[in-house]
Amino acid sequence: MQSDTARGTILFGHGSRDPLWRKPIEAVASHIQGIAPEIHVRCAYLELTVPDLPTTAAELSALGVTTITVVPMFLGVGRHARDDLPLLMAALQDSHPHIEFALRPAIGEETLMIELMARIALS
């Protein structure tokens, strides 16, 4: 059943030829689903791994999602996060004008993540 308030989250990673590379991102998605089952959570990748961001957004759109938050799962803001992702986000908005898209900062720039990584490093 479709809802006017259906929400989605896309964890967006770089991608890799190594199939094990995606396990941590998928673990985060699984954890989100466990603590917030009302959120449609998916993983998407820039290259070398499927699905890509447009495919994932289309899937969520088909489920009736009306707001999608994209979380770049990058530790730093390199060329992909700085240059490629804004272009992808603009294309998504053009393709899905009925969806409200929100782009979070790269996960490595989040204050909570910085604190957590420091605590892990000191443990």
Side-chain angles (χ1 to χ4, degrees):
M1 181 167 127
Q2 293 188 355
S3 167
D4 289 343
T5 58
R7 294 174 40 207
T9 296
I10 299 174
L11 303 178
F12 183 66
H14 183 273
S16 172
R17 287 182 183 87
D18 184 344
L20 297 178
W21 173 89
R22 65 193 297 162
K23 284 190 175 271
I25 293 173
E26 290 174 349
V28 173
S30 178
H31 193 73
I32 291 170
Q33 202 67 78
I35 60 176
E38 71 281 6
I39 304 295
H40 298 277
V41 62
R42 301 290 188 275
C43 300
Y45 306 95
L46 180 64
E47 57 189 17
L48 306 172
T49 306
V50 293
D52 63 9
L53 192 56
T55 300
T56 305
E59 177 187 344
L60 291 175
S61 177
L63 292 173
V65 169
T66 56
T67 62
I68 295 175
T69 301
V70 177
V71 181
M73 301 298 282
F74 303 123
L75 287 180
V77 179
R79 183 181 55 83
H80 292 309
R82 191 177 54 249
D83 298 336
D84 299 335
L85 190 51
L87 295 174
L88 287 169
M89 294 298 293
L92 287 179
Q93 192 63 75
D94 288 345
S95 297
H96 305 282
H98 60 285
I99 295 177
E100 178 184 336
F101 288 94
L103 177 61
R104 295 291 308 238
I107 198 80
E109 294 189 320
E110 295 281 356
T111 303
L112 288 174
M113 180 58 79
I114 293 167
E115 180 179 338
L116 180 59
M117 288 187 293
R119 290 181 182 274
I120 290 169
L122 290 172
S123 66

